[in-house]
Amino acid sequence: MNAPASPICWLNGRFLPLAEASIPVLDRGFIFGDGVYEVIPVYGRQPFRLAEHLARLARSLAAVRITNPHDDATWTSLITELVARQDFSDQSVYIQVTRGVAKRDHAFPKDTVPTVFMMSNALVTPPAALVDSGVAAITATDNRWLRCDVKATALLANVLLKQLAVDAGAAEVVLLRDGPDATAPRRLTEGSSSNIFVVRDGAIATPKRDHFVLPGITLDVVAELARAAGIPFEERDLTEADVRAADELWLASSTREVLAITSLDGRPVGIGMPGPMYRRMITLFQQHRSERRP
Ligand code: PDD
């Protein structure tokens, strides 16, 4: 039997089979996690919110002082070609840009060319059963660095936190950041790979955008859909008490869309089932993204 063909990826100026793509061990992405990334969902071969993802990529690159290797038009044509070269139509495009290859030294190397890598995986949107049942989550102290607004590839803290959830049989970890002193309540930030929403008394709230939270593109979609439907939506500080008193909790990301969190630390959230606001939002979300399919 023939081995399945390796998907086509992009590395430093050319398309090639993923199985043949390799980078030098001195790449600073490997040595230091010195790079940034993006994940862009693609529905029916159409990238979803591409301009917003490219704008966030540009902001991440600027924040870590890596020159953006391409303008938006070039990124768009490369992504279009990468998407066209895959066998499946729903995809998640992964882009990574690192500071490049150099002798190991913490300081920026001079005149090093960034490494640019892109691949695309099949996007498996949450199955109906998961949308109907919701997922379990646990809480943990947010021990990440103080620039979580940058989509950096250095994700060790996120990896360790996500594994706590997996070890507990849960799908996500809801992160609570310690306050400025021992008496201050812990504040909700986000999930290890998602943004988190609290629903209480018919209103949706999510933490306001600061250095502790990634400005999620899916979060923006939820905010837009809520506002267009006349559902109260607020970005504000949320404490651990707000999380524990929620009628509904949701998570959102480019690969998981919007999911209800129906148990937290082993206790039911609200009625322990996806609530009425979630059902409304997921219907709006699915309509919105299917309207954008060709
Ligand atoms: N992660 N917060 C964190 C820490 C994330 O890693 C992500 C997404 C989000 C949601 O952002 P968006 O809606 O733009 O996907 C929030 C991606 C999917 C990942 O790392 O694979």
Side-chain angles (χ1 to χ4, degrees), residues 165-192:
V166 172
D167 292 346
E172 185 53 295
V173 51
V174 173
L175 299 174
L176 301 166
R177 179 78 73 167
D178 285 340
D181 60 63
T183 60
R186 292 201 292 174
R187 274 179 44 194
L188 171 65
T189 54
E190 57 182 341
S192 66

PDB file of all heavy atoms in Angstrom, residues 165-192:
ATOM      1  N   ALA A 165      -5.580  20.152  32.649  1.00  0.00           N
ATOM      2  CA  ALA A 165      -6.973  19.889  32.276  1.00  0.00           C
ATOM      3  C   ALA A 165      -7.102  18.473  31.730  1.00  0.00           C
ATOM      4  O   ALA A 165      -7.991  17.713  32.147  1.00  0.00           O
ATOM      5  CB  ALA A 165      -7.436  20.912  31.240  1.00  0.00           C
ATOM      6  N   VAL A 166      -6.207  18.106  30.824  1.00  0.00           N
ATOM      7  CA  VAL A 166      -6.287  16.770  30.209  1.00  0.00           C
ATOM      8  C   VAL A 166      -6.170  15.693  31.297  1.00  0.00           C
ATOM      9  O   VAL A 166      -6.933  14.731  31.324  1.00  0.00           O
ATOM     10  CB  VAL A 166      -5.180  16.621  29.136  1.00  0.00           C
ATOM     11  CG1 VAL A 166      -5.114  15.192  28.620  1.00  0.00           C
ATOM     12  CG2 VAL A 166      -5.438  17.597  27.988  1.00  0.00           C
ATOM     13  N   ASP A 167      -5.231  15.886  32.232  1.00  0.00           N
ATOM     14  CA  ASP A 167      -5.053  14.911  33.316  1.00  0.00           C
ATOM     15  C   ASP A 167      -6.309  14.778  34.161  1.00  0.00           C
ATOM     16  O   ASP A 167      -6.573  13.731  34.764  1.00  0.00           O
ATOM     17  CB  ASP A 167      -3.874  15.317  34.215  1.00  0.00           C
ATOM     18  CG  ASP A 167      -2.533  15.215  33.492  1.00  0.00           C
ATOM     19  OD1 ASP A 167      -2.479  14.597  32.407  1.00  0.00           O
ATOM     20  OD2 ASP A 167      -1.539  15.771  34.008  1.00  0.00           O
ATOM     21  N   ALA A 168      -7.098  15.871  34.232  1.00  0.00           N
ATOM     22  CA  ALA A 168      -8.327  15.856  35.032  1.00  0.00           C
ATOM     23  C   ALA A 168      -9.535  15.445  34.181  1.00  0.00           C
ATOM     24  O   ALA A 168     -10.675  15.542  34.627  1.00  0.00           O
ATOM     25  CB  ALA A 168      -8.560  17.240  35.646  1.00  0.00           C
ATOM     26  N   GLY A 169      -9.285  15.016  32.946  1.00  0.00           N
ATOM     27  CA  GLY A 169     -10.383  14.610  32.059  1.00  0.00           C
ATOM     28  C   GLY A 169     -11.190  15.792  31.557  1.00  0.00           C
ATOM     29  O   GLY A 169     -12.357  15.639  31.179  1.00  0.00           O
ATOM     30  N   ALA A 170     -10.589  16.979  31.539  1.00  0.00           N
ATOM     31  CA  ALA A 170     -11.308  18.190  31.128  1.00  0.00           C
ATOM     32  C   ALA A 170     -10.745  18.702  29.796  1.00  0.00           C
ATOM     33  O   ALA A 170      -9.657  18.310  29.369  1.00  0.00           O
ATOM     34  CB  ALA A 170     -11.186  19.267  32.198  1.00  0.00           C
ATOM     35  N   ALA A 171     -11.515  19.599  29.160  1.00  0.00           N
ATOM     36  CA  ALA A 171     -11.159  20.083  27.826  1.00  0.00           C
ATOM     37  C   ALA A 171     -10.386  21.400  27.863  1.00  0.00           C
ATOM     38  O   ALA A 171      -9.759  21.783  26.881  1.00  0.00           O
ATOM     39  CB  ALA A 171     -12.417  20.270  26.991  1.00  0.00           C
ATOM     40  N   GLU A 172     -10.476  22.124  28.971  1.00  0.00           N
ATOM     41  CA  GLU A 172      -9.808  23.425  29.021  1.00  0.00           C
ATOM     42  C   GLU A 172      -9.535  23.795  30.479  1.00  0.00           C
ATOM     43  O   GLU A 172     -10.176  23.273  31.405  1.00  0.00           O
ATOM     44  CB  GLU A 172     -10.664  24.498  28.334  1.00  0.00           C
ATOM     45  CG  GLU A 172     -10.051  25.896  28.208  1.00  0.00           C
ATOM     46  CD  GLU A 172      -8.666  25.956  27.548  1.00  0.00           C
ATOM     47  OE1 GLU A 172      -7.705  25.412  28.139  1.00  0.00           O
ATOM     48  OE2 GLU A 172      -8.537  26.568  26.479  1.00  0.00           O
ATOM     49  N   VAL A 173      -8.577  24.679  30.651  1.00  0.00           N
ATOM     50  CA  VAL A 173      -8.286  25.212  31.977  1.00  0.00           C
ATOM     51  C   VAL A 173      -8.640  26.699  31.948  1.00  0.00           C
ATOM     52  O   VAL A 173      -8.235  27.436  31.052  1.00  0.00           O
ATOM     53  CB  VAL A 173      -6.827  24.911  32.403  1.00  0.00           C
ATOM     54  CG1 VAL A 173      -5.830  25.322  31.366  1.00  0.00           C
ATOM     55  CG2 VAL A 173      -6.483  25.526  33.728  1.00  0.00           C
ATOM     56  N   VAL A 174      -9.455  27.106  32.899  1.00  0.00           N
ATOM     57  CA  VAL A 174      -9.879  28.507  33.031  1.00  0.00           C
ATOM     58  C   VAL A 174      -8.872  29.182  33.959  1.00  0.00           C
ATOM     59  O   VAL A 174      -8.698  28.757  35.111  1.00  0.00           O
ATOM     60  CB  VAL A 174     -11.311  28.582  33.612  1.00  0.00           C
ATOM     61  CG1 VAL A 174     -11.699  30.025  33.923  1.00  0.00           C
ATOM     62  CG2 VAL A 174     -12.305  27.952  32.635  1.00  0.00           C
ATOM     63  N   LEU A 175      -8.199  30.219  33.447  1.00  0.00           N
ATOM     64  CA  LEU A 175      -7.058  30.777  34.175  1.00  0.00           C
ATOM     65  C   LEU A 175      -7.463  31.973  35.033  1.00  0.00           C
ATOM     66  O   LEU A 175      -8.169  32.880  34.582  1.00  0.00           O
ATOM     67  CB  LEU A 175      -5.972  31.186  33.173  1.00  0.00           C
ATOM     68  CG  LEU A 175      -5.443  30.014  32.331  1.00  0.00           C
ATOM     69  CD1 LEU A 175      -4.471  30.516  31.266  1.00  0.00           C
ATOM     70  CD2 LEU A 175      -4.767  28.987  33.231  1.00  0.00           C
ATOM     71  N   LEU A 176      -6.982  31.962  36.271  1.00  0.00           N
ATOM     72  CA  LEU A 176      -7.271  33.023  37.235  1.00  0.00           C
ATOM     73  C   LEU A 176      -5.944  33.631  37.657  1.00  0.00           C
ATOM     74  O   LEU A 176      -5.046  32.932  38.128  1.00  0.00           O
ATOM     75  CB  LEU A 176      -8.010  32.442  38.443  1.00  0.00           C
ATOM     76  CG  LEU A 176      -9.350  31.757  38.099  1.00  0.00           C
ATOM     77  CD1 LEU A 176      -9.841  30.915  39.275  1.00  0.00           C
ATOM     78  CD2 LEU A 176     -10.404  32.795  37.708  1.00  0.00           C
ATOM     79  N   ARG A 177      -5.813  34.925  37.444  1.00  0.00           N
ATOM     80  CA  ARG A 177      -4.553  35.624  37.721  1.00  0.00           C
ATOM     81  C   ARG A 177      -4.620  36.207  39.126  1.00  0.00           C
ATOM     82  O   ARG A 177      -5.610  36.855  39.480  1.00  0.00           O
ATOM     83  CB  ARG A 177      -4.386  36.704  36.656  1.00  0.00           C
ATOM     84  CG  ARG A 177      -3.189  37.591  36.717  1.00  0.00           C
ATOM     85  CD  ARG A 177      -1.912  36.994  36.208  1.00  0.00           C
ATOM     86  NE  ARG A 177      -1.739  36.819  34.778  1.00  0.00           N
ATOM     87  CZ  ARG A 177      -0.543  36.543  34.217  1.00  0.00           C
ATOM     88  NH1 ARG A 177       0.552  36.454  34.957  1.00  0.00           N
ATOM     89  NH2 ARG A 177      -0.436  36.346  32.916  1.00  0.00           N
ATOM     90  N   ASP A 178      -3.554  35.969  39.936  1.00  0.00           N
ATOM     91  CA  ASP A 178      -3.518  36.539  41.287  1.00  0.00           C
ATOM     92  C   ASP A 178      -3.615  38.051  41.217  1.00  0.00           C
ATOM     93  O   ASP A 178      -3.086  38.679  40.295  1.00  0.00           O
ATOM     94  CB  ASP A 178      -2.210  36.150  41.998  1.00  0.00           C
ATOM     95  CG  ASP A 178      -2.234  34.686  42.444  1.00  0.00           C
ATOM     96  OD1 ASP A 178      -3.343  34.122  42.555  1.00  0.00           O
ATOM     97  OD2 ASP A 178      -1.148  34.126  42.659  1.00  0.00           O
ATOM     98  N   GLY A 179      -4.269  38.651  42.207  1.00  0.00           N
ATOM     99  CA  GLY A 179      -4.378  40.102  42.289  1.00  0.00           C
ATOM    100  C   GLY A 179      -3.065  40.725  42.723  1.00  0.00           C
ATOM    101  O   GLY A 179      -2.090  40.015  43.012  1.00  0.00           O
ATOM    102  N   PRO A 180      -3.024  42.056  42.792  1.00  0.00           N
ATOM    103  CA  PRO A 180      -1.780  42.756  43.136  1.00  0.00           C
ATOM    104  C   PRO A 180      -1.305  42.472  44.564  1.00  0.00           C
ATOM    105  O   PRO A 180      -0.119  42.599  44.860  1.00  0.00           O
ATOM    106  CB  PRO A 180      -2.137  44.237  42.955  1.00  0.00           C
ATOM    107  CG  PRO A 180      -3.624  44.305  42.886  1.00  0.00           C
ATOM    108  CD  PRO A 180      -4.114  42.970  42.433  1.00  0.00           C
ATOM    109  N   ASP A 181      -2.207  42.090  45.461  1.00  0.00           N
ATOM    110  CA  ASP A 181      -1.770  41.685  46.806  1.00  0.00           C
ATOM    111  C   ASP A 181      -2.668  40.537  47.261  1.00  0.00           C
ATOM    112  O   ASP A 181      -3.648  40.196  46.601  1.00  0.00           O
ATOM    113  CB  ASP A 181      -1.814  42.873  47.786  1.00  0.00           C
ATOM    114  CG  ASP A 181      -3.209  43.440  47.907  1.00  0.00           C
ATOM    115  OD1 ASP A 181      -4.113  42.720  48.371  1.00  0.00           O
ATOM    116  OD2 ASP A 181      -3.407  44.617  47.508  1.00  0.00           O
ATOM    117  N   ALA A 182      -2.298  39.961  48.411  1.00  0.00           N
ATOM    118  CA  ALA A 182      -2.956  38.722  48.848  1.00  0.00           C
ATOM    119  C   ALA A 182      -4.453  38.913  49.121  1.00  0.00           C
ATOM    120  O   ALA A 182      -5.222  37.946  49.083  1.00  0.00           O
ATOM    121  CB  ALA A 182      -2.249  38.183  50.082  1.00  0.00           C
ATOM    122  N   THR A 183      -4.877  40.160  49.387  1.00  0.00           N
ATOM    123  CA  THR A 183      -6.294  40.381  49.712  1.00  0.00           C
ATOM    124  C   THR A 183      -7.152  40.570  48.453  1.00  0.00           C
ATOM    125  O   THR A 183      -8.371  40.455  48.502  1.00  0.00           O
ATOM    126  CB  THR A 183      -6.468  41.642  50.599  1.00  0.00           C
ATOM    127  OG1 THR A 183      -5.969  42.761  49.865  1.00  0.00           O
ATOM    128  CG2 THR A 183      -5.741  41.500  51.923  1.00  0.00           C
ATOM    129  N   ALA A 184      -6.500  40.896  47.319  1.00  0.00           N
ATOM    130  CA  ALA A 184      -7.262  41.160  46.082  1.00  0.00           C
ATOM    131  C   ALA A 184      -7.786  39.841  45.515  1.00  0.00           C
ATOM    132  O   ALA A 184      -7.087  38.824  45.563  1.00  0.00           O
ATOM    133  CB  ALA A 184      -6.368  41.859  45.062  1.00  0.00           C
ATOM    134  N   PRO A 185      -8.993  39.854  44.968  1.00  0.00           N
ATOM    135  CA  PRO A 185      -9.532  38.607  44.396  1.00  0.00           C
ATOM    136  C   PRO A 185      -8.781  38.213  43.136  1.00  0.00           C
ATOM    137  O   PRO A 185      -8.218  39.074  42.455  1.00  0.00           O
ATOM    138  CB  PRO A 185     -10.987  38.970  44.066  1.00  0.00           C
ATOM    139  CG  PRO A 185     -11.009  40.450  43.920  1.00  0.00           C
ATOM    140  CD  PRO A 185      -9.928  41.000  44.795  1.00  0.00           C
ATOM    141  N   ARG A 186      -8.774  36.900  42.844  1.00  0.00           N
ATOM    142  CA  ARG A 186      -8.170  36.461  41.583  1.00  0.00           C
ATOM    143  C   ARG A 186      -9.067  36.888  40.428  1.00  0.00           C
ATOM    144  O   ARG A 186     -10.288  36.855  40.546  1.00  0.00           O
ATOM    145  CB  ARG A 186      -7.984  34.943  41.592  1.00  0.00           C
ATOM    146  CG  ARG A 186      -6.931  34.491  42.592  1.00  0.00           C
ATOM    147  CD  ARG A 186      -6.399  33.116  42.251  1.00  0.00           C
ATOM    148  NE  ARG A 186      -7.393  32.070  42.423  1.00  0.00           N
ATOM    149  CZ  ARG A 186      -7.206  30.798  42.071  1.00  0.00           C
ATOM    150  NH1 ARG A 186      -6.073  30.422  41.521  1.00  0.00           N
ATOM    151  NH2 ARG A 186      -8.150  29.901  42.279  1.00  0.00           N
ATOM    152  N   ARG A 187      -8.431  37.287  39.325  1.00  0.00           N
ATOM    153  CA  ARG A 187      -9.175  37.759  38.148  1.00  0.00           C
ATOM    154  C   ARG A 187      -9.149  36.736  37.039  1.00  0.00           C
ATOM    155  O   ARG A 187      -8.113  36.102  36.790  1.00  0.00           O
ATOM    156  CB  ARG A 187      -8.509  39.029  37.608  1.00  0.00           C
ATOM    157  CG  ARG A 187      -8.966  40.310  38.255  1.00  0.00           C
ATOM    158  CD  ARG A 187      -8.215  41.475  37.637  1.00  0.00           C
ATOM    159  NE  ARG A 187      -8.140  41.358  36.178  1.00  0.00           N
ATOM    160  CZ  ARG A 187      -7.319  42.083  35.396  1.00  0.00           C
ATOM    161  NH1 ARG A 187      -6.498  42.953  35.953  1.00  0.00           N
ATOM    162  NH2 ARG A 187      -7.305  41.931  34.096  1.00  0.00           N
ATOM    163  N   LEU A 188     -10.277  36.591  36.346  1.00  0.00           N
ATOM    164  CA  LEU A 188     -10.330  35.734  35.154  1.00  0.00           C
ATOM    165  C   LEU A 188      -9.472  36.367  34.054  1.00  0.00           C
ATOM    166  O   LEU A 188      -9.562  37.581  33.826  1.00  0.00           O
ATOM    167  CB  LEU A 188     -11.784  35.623  34.679  1.00  0.00           C
ATOM    168  CG  LEU A 188     -11.998  34.933  33.322  1.00  0.00           C
ATOM    169  CD1 LEU A 188     -11.595  33.465  33.371  1.00  0.00           C
ATOM    170  CD2 LEU A 188     -13.465  35.067  32.881  1.00  0.00           C
ATOM    171  N   THR A 189      -8.654  35.554  33.385  1.00  0.00           N
ATOM    172  CA  THR A 189      -7.957  36.048  32.197  1.00  0.00           C
ATOM    173  C   THR A 189      -8.540  35.355  30.957  1.00  0.00           C
ATOM    174  O   THR A 189      -9.381  35.906  30.273  1.00  0.00           O
ATOM    175  CB  THR A 189      -6.435  35.883  32.294  1.00  0.00           C
ATOM    176  OG1 THR A 189      -6.109  34.520  32.577  1.00  0.00           O
ATOM    177  CG2 THR A 189      -5.857  36.807  33.352  1.00  0.00           C
ATOM    178  N   GLU A 190      -8.150  34.102  30.717  1.00  0.00           N
ATOM    179  CA  GLU A 190      -8.653  33.377  29.535  1.00  0.00           C
ATOM    180  C   GLU A 190      -8.436  31.894  29.757  1.00  0.00           C
ATOM    181  O   GLU A 190      -8.180  31.465  30.879  1.00  0.00           O
ATOM    182  CB  GLU A 190      -7.941  33.883  28.277  1.00  0.00           C
ATOM    183  CG  GLU A 190      -6.434  33.766  28.334  1.00  0.00           C
ATOM    184  CD  GLU A 190      -5.721  34.313  27.093  1.00  0.00           C
ATOM    185  OE1 GLU A 190      -6.357  34.464  26.049  1.00  0.00           O
ATOM    186  OE2 GLU A 190      -4.509  34.546  27.188  1.00  0.00           O
ATOM    187  N   GLY A 191      -8.542  31.091  28.707  1.00  0.00           N
ATOM    188  CA  GLY A 191      -8.217  29.673  28.791  1.00  0.00           C
ATOM    189  C   GLY A 191      -6.795  29.454  28.298  1.00  0.00           C
ATOM    190  O   GLY A 191      -6.144  30.386  27.806  1.00  0.00           O
ATOM    191  N   SER A 192      -6.289  28.218  28.404  1.00  0.00           N
ATOM    192  CA  SER A 192      -4.914  27.967  27.946  1.00  0.00           C
ATOM    193  C   SER A 192      -4.794  28.139  26.441  1.00  0.00           C
ATOM    194  O   SER A 192      -3.724  28.452  25.931  1.00  0.00           O
ATOM    195  CB  SER A 192      -4.450  26.569  28.357  1.00  0.00           C
ATOM    196  OG  SER A 192      -5.205  25.588  27.684  1.00  0.00           O
TER     197      SER A 192
END
